[in-house]
Amino acid sequence: MMRLSFHGAAKQVTGSCHLLECDQARILVDCGMFQGRREIEEENSAPFGFDPASVDFLLLTHAHLDHCGRIPMLVKQGFRGEIITTAPTRELARLVLVDSAGLQEEEHRRRTQHAHRRDEPVPAPLYTLEDTFHSLEYFGRTAHYDQEIELKPGIQARFIDAGHILGSASIVVTAMNDGKPVRIVFSGDLGNPGRPIIRDPTPPPAADYVLVETTYGDRPHRSRPDSVKELYEAINMTLARNGNVIIPTFALERSQEILYYLREGKENGLLPGHMTVFLDSPMAISATEIFRRYPECYDEELRKSIAGGDPFSLPGLHFVRDVSESMAINRIESGAVILAGSGMCTGGRVRHHLKHNLWRARSSVVFVGYAAEGTLARHIIDGAKEIH
């Protein structure tokens, strides 16, 4: 008997979590956090819909929070199986989960201070840093693209390049059902062909069943050259009127892509030489360092073009980790391009920069990624006249 159930990312965008049950094993594919709506706190703290202690394997497609963000909760509630993923995803997931736990602990302290005055109860954080470090102990074998991993006799998993972020994978699971092999493809999140840093997605093999992400499945995308041209135009227009450019960015992949295009723009004379760029996100800086450690994952054309150089370095670039340095950026009134997290403006340092620049007619905010319903980014994109 084989059974497939969905515990997130079904009829919604975030919280990817799929459970495959067969005679030999119970296999979870992703264990992500819900993001974007006001109700997400309740959704994230709700029961999984299955017993975590009964799961034998967790196969992780990639390191975005909506695919890995509830792993510490899974372990906290009894999971003692093996987590299998690629080497870059293992490193990036550690970064993402530690950051998530730190933010939750910080938010819990803030709420506790406010609630103490009103004598109100405060729910505990979903998980702590201690929970997170404990969960990292369950990461086991490393998956290599296009190589079979035997989970149990009769069950194999194969990770293929999804071209989404560094280390991302679609996962092909083959298991026996009533004595016959059944092949299921879990797409994870898929990248578009022709992106500048990582390789194009690997086409999946023929399969009996396919679970495919459809976040953008009903809309055409503008071409990449047109999007890059629009980015350059927005930056040039803003700097020409002596303003700053605020770019809310996701720490994984999107920050590195924007750095790549800013370097290309400067080198080709499409952006001003005097432009100063700030990557104001400790998490994005750490992610960039991880990207640098895996040049074998880069697109072949990129490897040839940089000839061993650094695709994420450009004149006038400043990495900002310290909080005081981040605050000092707000004294700059013109000529700055500021990349800061989070991409949906739900938290992080970008809110600090929006507070100081959003009201200034000379400055611009450029959105370069997906914004879920209910997020601050979506409110601004939809034309809100006032925000808090």
CSV table of all heavy atoms in Angstrom, one decimal, residues 4-37:
chain,number,residue,atom,x,y,z
A,4,LEU,N,-0.1,9.1,-0.1
A,4,LEU,CA,0.6,10.4,-0.2
A,4,LEU,C,-0.3,11.4,0.4
A,4,LEU,O,-1.5,11.5,0.1
A,4,LEU,CB,0.9,10.7,-1.6
A,4,LEU,CG,1.7,12.0,-1.9
A,4,LEU,CD1,3.1,11.9,-1.2
A,4,LEU,CD2,1.9,12.2,-3.4
A,5,SER,N,0.2,12.2,1.4
A,5,SER,CA,-0.7,13.2,2.0
A,5,SER,C,0.1,14.5,2.1
A,5,SER,O,1.3,14.6,2.1
A,5,SER,CB,-1.1,12.8,3.5
A,5,SER,OG,0.0,12.5,4.3
A,6,PHE,N,-0.6,15.6,2.1
A,6,PHE,CA,-0.1,17.0,2.0
A,6,PHE,C,-0.3,17.8,3.3
A,6,PHE,O,-1.5,17.9,3.7
A,6,PHE,CB,-0.7,17.7,0.8
A,6,PHE,CG,-0.6,16.9,-0.4
A,6,PHE,CD1,-1.6,16.1,-0.9
A,6,PHE,CD2,0.6,16.8,-1.2
A,6,PHE,CE1,-1.6,15.3,-2.0
A,6,PHE,CE2,0.7,16.0,-2.3
A,6,PHE,CZ,-0.4,15.3,-2.7
A,7,HIS,N,0.7,18.3,3.9
A,7,HIS,CA,0.6,19.0,5.2
A,7,HIS,C,1.2,20.4,5.1
A,7,HIS,O,1.7,21.0,6.0
A,7,HIS,CB,1.4,18.2,6.2
A,7,HIS,CG,0.9,16.8,6.3
A,7,HIS,ND1,-0.2,16.4,7.1
A,7,HIS,CD2,1.3,15.6,5.7
A,7,HIS,CE1,-0.4,15.1,6.9
A,7,HIS,NE2,0.4,14.6,6.1
A,8,GLY,N,1.0,21.0,3.9
A,8,GLY,CA,1.5,22.4,3.6
A,8,GLY,C,1.7,22.5,2.1
A,8,GLY,O,1.8,21.5,1.4
A,9,ALA,N,1.7,23.8,1.7
A,9,ALA,CA,1.9,24.1,0.2
A,9,ALA,C,0.9,23.4,-0.7
A,9,ALA,O,1.2,23.1,-1.8
A,9,ALA,CB,3.3,23.7,-0.2
A,10,ALA,N,-0.3,23.1,-0.2
A,10,ALA,CA,-1.4,22.7,-1.0
A,10,ALA,C,-2.5,23.7,-0.9
A,10,ALA,O,-2.9,24.0,0.2
A,10,ALA,CB,-1.9,21.3,-0.5
A,11,LYS,N,-2.9,24.3,-2.0
A,11,LYS,CA,-3.8,25.4,-2.1
A,11,LYS,C,-3.3,26.6,-1.4
A,11,LYS,O,-4.0,27.5,-1.0
A,11,LYS,CB,-5.2,25.0,-1.5
A,11,LYS,CG,-5.9,23.9,-2.2
A,11,LYS,CD,-7.2,23.6,-1.7
A,11,LYS,CE,-7.9,22.4,-2.4
A,11,LYS,NZ,-9.3,22.1,-1.9
A,12,GLN,N,-2.0,26.7,-1.3
A,12,GLN,CA,-1.3,27.9,-0.7
A,12,GLN,C,0.2,27.8,-1.2
A,12,GLN,O,0.6,26.8,-1.7
A,12,GLN,CB,-1.4,27.9,0.8
A,12,GLN,CG,-0.8,26.7,1.5
A,12,GLN,CD,-1.1,26.7,3.0
A,12,GLN,OE1,-0.9,27.8,3.6
A,12,GLN,NE2,-1.5,25.6,3.6
A,13,VAL,N,0.9,28.8,-0.9
A,13,VAL,CA,2.3,28.9,-1.4
A,13,VAL,C,3.4,28.4,-0.5
A,13,VAL,O,4.3,27.8,-1.0
A,13,VAL,CB,2.6,30.4,-1.8
A,13,VAL,CG1,4.0,30.6,-2.3
A,13,VAL,CG2,1.7,30.9,-2.9
A,14,THR,N,3.2,28.6,0.8
A,14,THR,CA,4.3,28.2,1.7
A,14,THR,C,4.0,27.0,2.5
A,14,THR,O,3.0,26.4,2.5
A,14,THR,CB,4.6,29.4,2.6
A,14,THR,OG1,3.4,29.7,3.4
A,14,THR,CG2,4.9,30.7,1.8
A,15,GLY,N,5.0,26.6,3.4
A,15,GLY,CA,4.8,25.5,4.3
A,15,GLY,C,4.9,24.1,3.6
A,15,GLY,O,4.3,23.2,4.0
A,16,SER,N,5.8,24.0,2.6
A,16,SER,CA,5.9,22.7,1.9
A,16,SER,C,6.2,21.5,2.8
A,16,SER,O,7.1,21.6,3.6
A,16,SER,CB,7.0,22.8,0.9
A,16,SER,OG,7.1,21.7,0.1
A,17,CYS,N,5.4,20.5,2.7
A,17,CYS,CA,5.5,19.3,3.6
A,17,CYS,C,4.7,18.2,3.1
A,17,CYS,O,3.4,18.3,3.1
A,17,CYS,CB,5.1,19.7,5.0
A,17,CYS,SG,5.5,18.4,6.3
A,18,HIS,N,5.3,17.1,2.5
A,18,HIS,CA,4.6,16.0,1.9
A,18,HIS,C,5.0,14.7,2.5
A,18,HIS,O,6.2,14.5,2.7
A,18,HIS,CB,4.8,16.0,0.4
A,18,HIS,CG,4.7,17.4,-0.3
A,18,HIS,ND1,3.6,18.2,-0.2
A,18,HIS,CD2,5.6,18.0,-1.0
A,18,HIS,CE1,3.8,19.3,-0.8
A,18,HIS,NE2,5.0,19.2,-1.4
A,19,LEU,N,4.1,13.9,2.9
A,19,LEU,CA,4.4,12.6,3.5
A,19,LEU,C,4.0,11.4,2.6
A,19,LEU,O,2.9,11.3,2.1
A,19,LEU,CB,3.6,12.5,4.8
A,19,LEU,CG,3.8,11.2,5.6
A,19,LEU,CD1,5.3,11.0,6.1
A,19,LEU,CD2,2.8,11.1,6.8
A,20,LEU,N,5.0,10.6,2.3
A,20,LEU,CA,4.8,9.4,1.5
A,20,LEU,C,4.9,8.2,2.4
A,20,LEU,O,6.0,8.0,3.0
A,20,LEU,CB,5.9,9.3,0.4
A,20,LEU,CG,5.9,8.1,-0.5
A,20,LEU,CD1,4.6,8.0,-1.3
A,20,LEU,CD2,7.1,8.1,-1.4
A,21,GLU,N,3.9,7.4,2.4
A,21,GLU,CA,3.8,6.2,3.3
A,21,GLU,C,3.8,5.0,2.4
A,21,GLU,O,2.9,4.9,1.5
A,21,GLU,CB,2.6,6.3,4.2
A,21,GLU,CG,2.6,7.5,5.1
A,21,GLU,CD,1.3,7.6,5.9
A,21,GLU,OE1,1.1,6.9,6.9
A,21,GLU,OE2,0.4,8.4,5.5
A,22,CYS,N,4.7,4.1,2.6
A,22,CYS,CA,4.6,2.8,1.9
A,22,CYS,C,5.0,1.7,2.8
A,22,CYS,O,5.2,2.0,4.0
A,22,CYS,CB,5.6,2.8,0.7
A,22,CYS,SG,7.2,3.4,1.0
A,23,ASP,N,4.9,0.5,2.4
A,23,ASP,CA,5.1,-0.6,3.3
A,23,ASP,C,6.5,-0.6,4.0
A,23,ASP,O,6.6,-1.0,5.2
A,23,ASP,CB,5.0,-2.0,2.5
A,23,ASP,CG,3.6,-2.2,2.0
A,23,ASP,OD1,2.7,-1.6,2.6
A,23,ASP,OD2,3.4,-2.9,1.0
A,24,GLN,N,7.5,-0.1,3.3
A,24,GLN,CA,8.9,-0.2,3.9
A,24,GLN,C,9.2,1.0,4.8
A,24,GLN,O,10.1,0.9,5.7
A,24,GLN,CB,9.9,-0.3,2.8
A,24,GLN,CG,9.6,-1.5,1.8
A,24,GLN,CD,9.0,-1.0,0.6
A,24,GLN,OE1,8.0,-0.2,0.6
A,24,GLN,NE2,9.4,-1.4,-0.6
A,25,ALA,N,8.6,2.2,4.5
A,25,ALA,CA,9.1,3.4,5.2
A,25,ALA,C,8.0,4.5,5.1
A,25,ALA,O,7.1,4.5,4.3
A,25,ALA,CB,10.4,3.8,4.6
A,26,ARG,N,8.2,5.5,6.0
A,26,ARG,CA,7.5,6.8,5.9
A,26,ARG,C,8.5,7.9,5.6
A,26,ARG,O,9.4,8.1,6.4
A,26,ARG,CB,6.7,7.0,7.2
A,26,ARG,CG,5.6,6.0,7.5
A,26,ARG,CD,5.1,6.1,8.9
A,26,ARG,NE,4.6,7.3,9.3
A,26,ARG,CZ,3.3,7.7,9.3
A,26,ARG,NH1,2.4,6.9,8.8
A,26,ARG,NH2,2.9,8.9,9.7
A,27,ILE,N,8.2,8.5,4.5
A,27,ILE,CA,9.2,9.5,4.0
A,27,ILE,C,8.6,10.9,3.9
A,27,ILE,O,7.5,11.0,3.3
A,27,ILE,CB,9.7,9.1,2.6
A,27,ILE,CG1,10.3,7.7,2.6
A,27,ILE,CG2,10.7,10.1,2.0
A,27,ILE,CD1,10.4,7.0,1.3
A,28,LEU,N,9.2,11.8,4.5
A,28,LEU,CA,8.7,13.2,4.5
A,28,LEU,C,9.6,14.0,3.5
A,28,LEU,O,10.8,13.8,3.5
A,28,LEU,CB,8.9,13.9,5.8
A,28,LEU,CG,8.0,15.1,6.1
A,28,LEU,CD1,6.5,14.8,6.1
A,28,LEU,CD2,8.4,15.7,7.5
A,29,VAL,N,9.0,14.7,2.6
A,29,VAL,CA,9.7,15.6,1.6
A,29,VAL,C,9.4,17.0,2.0
A,29,VAL,O,8.3,17.5,1.9
A,29,VAL,CB,9.3,15.3,0.2
A,29,VAL,CG1,10.0,16.3,-0.8
A,29,VAL,CG2,9.5,13.9,-0.2
A,30,ASP,N,10.5,17.7,2.6
A,30,ASP,CA,10.4,19.0,3.1
A,30,ASP,C,9.6,19.2,4.4
A,30,ASP,O,8.7,18.3,4.7
A,30,ASP,CB,9.9,20.0,2.0
A,30,ASP,CG,10.9,20.2,0.9
A,30,ASP,OD1,12.1,20.0,1.1
A,30,ASP,OD2,10.5,20.7,-0.2
A,31,CYS,N,9.9,20.2,5.1
A,31,CYS,CA,9.2,20.5,6.4
A,31,CYS,C,9.3,22.0,6.6
A,31,CYS,O,10.1,22.5,7.4
A,31,CYS,CB,9.9,19.7,7.5
A,31,CYS,SG,8.9,19.8,9.1
A,32,GLY,N,8.5,22.7,5.8
A,32,GLY,CA,8.7,24.2,5.7
A,32,GLY,C,7.8,25.0,6.6
A,32,GLY,O,6.7,24.5,7.1
A,33,MET,N,8.1,26.2,6.8
A,33,MET,CA,7.4,27.1,7.6
A,33,MET,C,6.3,27.9,6.8
A,33,MET,O,6.6,28.2,5.6
A,33,MET,CB,8.3,28.1,8.3
A,33,MET,CG,7.7,29.0,9.3
A,33,MET,SD,8.9,30.0,10.2
A,33,MET,CE,9.6,28.8,11.4
A,34,PHE,N,5.2,28.2,7.3
A,34,PHE,CA,4.2,29.0,6.7
A,34,PHE,C,4.6,30.4,6.8
A,34,PHE,O,5.0,30.9,7.9
A,34,PHE,CB,2.8,28.8,7.3
A,34,PHE,CG,2.3,27.4,7.1
A,34,PHE,CD1,2.4,26.4,8.2
A,34,PHE,CD2,1.7,26.9,5.9
A,34,PHE,CE1,2.0,25.1,8.0
A,34,PHE,CE2,1.3,25.6,5.8
A,34,PHE,CZ,1.4,24.7,6.9
A,35,GLN,N,4.4,31.2,5.7
A,35,GLN,CA,4.8,32.6,5.7
A,35,GLN,C,3.7,33.5,5.1
A,35,GLN,O,3.0,33.0,4.2
A,35,GLN,CB,6.1,32.8,5.0
A,35,GLN,CG,7.3,32.1,5.6
A,35,GLN,CD,8.5,32.2,4.7
A,35,GLN,OE1,8.7,31.6,3.7
A,35,GLN,NE2,9.5,33.1,5.2
A,36,GLY,N,3.6,34.7,5.5
A,36,GLY,CA,2.9,35.7,4.8
A,36,GLY,C,1.6,36.2,5.4
A,36,GLY,O,1.3,37.4,5.3
A,37,ARG,N,0.8,35.4,6.0
A,37,ARG,CA,-0.5,35.8,6.5
A,37,ARG,C,-0.5,36.0,8.0
A,37,ARG,O,0.4,35.6,8.7
A,37,ARG,CB,-1.6,34.8,6.1
A,37,ARG,CG,-1.8,34.5,4.6
A,37,ARG,CD,-2.7,33.4,4.4
A,37,ARG,NE,-2.3,32.2,5.1
A,37,ARG,CZ,-1.4,31.4,4.7
A,37,ARG,NH1,-0.6,31.6,3.7
A,37,ARG,NH2,-1.1,30.3,5.4
